[in-house]
Amino acid sequence: MLKYGFGGKLLRVNLTEKIFKIEKISSSWIKPLIGGRTTNTQRLYDELDPNCDPLGEDNIIIFGVGPLTGSILPASAYFIVTAKSPLTGILGDSAAGGSFGPEMKQTGFDQIIITGKAKGLLYLMITDKEVEFIPATNLSGKTIVETTCYIRKKHKDYAIQVAAIGAAGEHQVLYSTIVSSGNRVNGRTGMGAVLGSKNLKAIAVRGSSPAEYANPTILKQESEKIHSAIMKHDEYTKRYNLGTTMLMNDLNSLGILPTNHFQDGVCDYIEKISGEKLANTYKVKNKSCFNCNLHCSRYYICENQEAEGPEYETLCSFTSKIGSADLPFALEMNYWLNQMGLDSISTSEVIAWIMECQERGLIQPDDLEGLKLTWGDTDKVREIVKKITFRDGIGDKLANGARNLSREFSEEAQKLVLHVKGLDVINGDPRGIKAYGLTYAIASRGGDHLRAEPFFELTNRKEEAKRRFGTEKAADRLSEEGKAALVVYSEKIALLTDSMTMCKNIGLCMDILNFENITALLNACTGLNYTPDYLQKIMNDSIDLQRKLNEKFGITREDDTLPERFVSESLKRGPTKGSTVDIDKMVDEYYKLHNWKH
Amino acid sequence: MICVDISKCTGCKRCETACAFFHTKQVSNHLSRIKVLNLYENGIDSPVVCQQCNERYCINECPNEALSIGSLVEILVDMDVCSLCANCEDACPIGAIQLFNDEVLVCNLCSGDTECIMACTEEALSFETQEENSSLSEYKLTSVKLTPSQKRFEYVRKQGIELRKTWRENRA
């Protein structure tokens, strides 16, 4: 019997039959998993037919929270959504903050597992004891905020939290998102398309079953230590003012800001598109996820546009990556993508890839129904993003993602798609951040940094690098040395953060969490007697399980690599000039540390 | 009373979380006596908490004299005589007093050591002793038959109108 920290219940919803079932979760099942991402991965491994169509009735989509979600731990806002990805065909999952996770926690359901397909568009209203299947044909095409406001008004309760899809999810764009709390995004791997394929417009949650804690006094003390560490952090003010948009200037100064589709790492018009420019010109207030003391999100007003955000990935995606110095345009795209439910990284990859291929003469406008995209042509980008959203005309092909679209073209064009395992890589050029390069290569959901977020390599803390990872080079961003050890450490902290749950931007990037303080937090929360060694074992087991799951999807050692550009083509100028990634060396070391043979 | 500077609120719910945890060792919007609204449609965030109004609508409507005014001008609840009739909940124009799990929850100022104000890193909350309390009569008429949540929403929405004007002016 689970007494502390967890809700202790699992909700199964079958949309085809319009039925639900509540099961108990035992402590013997959950203790060796913890919660959040680790538990979701285990469910997918145990219950999914790996050969199923990701957009068919048999795919299962799992919403999960952890023992600390929605607690007094700062930034304990996160929930994880897991399914077979329609974009990549392998393990798909994505985390988001806001307030949905904490409210889901209040329902007492640690996991919600959704299967089947509804006959018509509907939304689920989930409370502690009840699941209502509510017709939502009137919400078809509505934005995230419109959907959220409608549901709150209808149920006369403005504490209801809603995770919804926009038009892109309804049209099953393969990289569509789920968006909750108005603007917090489960961005990657196309989880929105999975909901769309099930005719599920939204999940609304409202709970009144708060968890009890094993030792509230210790939990408060440990949470206050985390609170102080965040408040005293060297970068607190910068992160408070700019949020992740600080990375525009930071990455540009390292020569790794993706510019014209990673052909350049230095952007000549950075001052027009920087986080500082955005904050000084358009920001009106700070915004925050649940119980966070960093408040790193922002609200802006720009001409007739207003919205929360943007985060760095969206800002870079619709400025330097596509060769545009037009900041108001990027803000317009931020609103559109978040309200229509499109992943900014994958959307901008297909656009920037076409731009480069057309510049090189590898794709002609006639190949794409007359579509001609050139650097910085924001009118054309606006038009094509709208077509992608509704799968209108040529947008239908682009909605399948850059890798899938590239198969119609030459090998040379295919090589220019910057993806790993079908997931478009994030906006950080790995030629100047080698541990990130390794992370993109080995990440179990494809080309992504959040599986390890090895921010430590940018800290230049040489002595600490030697102590932690055996070599000073682990803190040298241009070196491959010690990076496997760094990634093997930080992928475990990343997974723990996704499992307990908390914000990785704080827990990991600000170097706040470690095995010792997580152990103390989890024990005060659950009373389950974790130790740092046991947590290490749980993380290793789960990372092994992710790999086994991906093997079921056909992934092999050969897929753990980087696009050719990063391996063999160096940048021509700036502080990362001349550098390429020796990816095989790092992946081999990484395999050795995991005791993986192949 | 606890004063809210709506222009400084980021919507983080640290006040709400601290309040519930201090009183119950659990975290829940239902258990908190200060409840945060996030209006995703227009960027406005704000907590709602008892404003110790002039009118004392809740006290006047209580048939059992279960509510009284304490030394800090806060509302005190005597659960021994409360009949859980919810008249107080219906009477409050801003949804600042509410029944949950057979208890009447309203801000009692933590006997002076206010948890919510300590939890707020944005200085959006402050404790002020006023000679004359504020009036909530302008919210009373339109709040009839609304749920407490709807009343909080309307209260925050109206307050947000002025703030949004300043945003527009500052950006013009």
Side-chain angles (χ1 to χ4, degrees), chain A residues 31 34 67-68 73 214-215 218-219 222-223 225-226 489 492-493 496-497 500 502 512-539:
Chain A
K31 186 182 175 185
I34 299 174
L68 285 154
L73 172 68
N215 193 329
I218 303 281
L219 183 60
E222 291 297 323
S223 297
K225 286 184 200 166
I226 303 288
Y489 170 79
K492 282 184 277 206
I493 299 291
L496 256 177
T497 312
M500 49 199 273
M502 189 185 167
I512 300 291
L513 293 175
N514 53 54
F515 283 102
E516 285 69 30
N517 58 19
I518 296 172
T519 301
L521 284 163
L522 282 175
N523 286 342
C525 176
T526 67
L528 288 177
N529 297 319
Y530 288 104
T531 62
D533 285 347
Y534 184 40
L535 290 183
Q536 295 244 22
K537 182 189 178 310
I538 294 172
M539 292 303 105

Side-chain angles (χ1 to χ4, degrees), chain A residues 23 82 267 326 389 551:
Chain A
E23 295 173 11
T82 305
C267 180
D326 188 343
T389 306
E551 282 172 358

